[in-house]
């Protein structure tokens, strides 16, 4: 179970970094503010949301590994 969480987390992290570099936001002057606005507007569908979701999956995978 924890290996699956690591794999899903790694995929989400890589995909989130890719989306953060390529997607355009509606508002914001720089890329950072555009990514934060997209996170607030779209949630997990934004690049930053996928990145944070991937980090969360990896952390949960580590916790599940030690509990097991």
């Amino acid at each position: 179970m924890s290996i699956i969480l690591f794999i899903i987390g790694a995929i989400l992290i890589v995909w989130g970094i890719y989306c953060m570099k390529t997607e355009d936001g509606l508002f914001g002057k720089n890329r950072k503010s555009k990514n934060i606005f997209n996170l607030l507007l779209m949630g997990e569908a934004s690049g930053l949301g996928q990145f944070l979701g991937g980090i969360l999956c990896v952390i949960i995978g580590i916790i599940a590994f030690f509990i097991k």
Side-chain angles (χ1 to χ4, degrees), residues 10-31:
I11 291 170
L12 283 174
I13 289 172
V14 171
W15 185 252
I17 290 172
Y18 171 76
C19 285
M20 283 191 292
K21 290 183 178 184
T22 58
E23 70 185 8
D24 292 328
L26 298 174
F27 300 106
K29 294 181 181 178
N30 56 16
R31 185 170 288 167

Side-chain angles (χ1 to χ4, degrees), residues 4 11 15 23 48-50 55 65:
I4 295 171
I11 291 170
W15 185 252
E23 70 185 8
L48 187 59
Q50 291 174 359
I55 291 175
F65 179 74

Side-chain angles (χ1 to χ4, degrees), residues 1-7 57-58 60-62 64-66 68:
M1 180 68 178
S2 61
I3 293 174
I4 295 171
L5 284 172
F6 284 128
I7 293 170
C57 277
V58 170
I60 292 172
I62 291 171
F65 179 74
F66 284 118
K68 194 174 182 181

Side-chain angles (χ1 to χ4, degrees), residues 22-66:
T22 58
E23 70 185 8
D24 292 328
L26 298 174
F27 300 106
K29 294 181 181 178
N30 56 16
R31 185 170 288 167
K32 181 180 178 182
S33 63
K34 288 181 182 183
N35 284 324
I36 291 172
F37 181 75
N38 282 346
L39 175 66
L40 295 174
L41 186 67
M42 296 188 299
E44 184 68 27
S46 69
L48 187 59
Q50 291 174 359
F51 179 73
L52 294 174
I55 291 175
L56 187 64
C57 277
V58 170
I59 291 172
I60 292 172
I62 291 171
I63 292 171
F65 179 74
F66 284 118

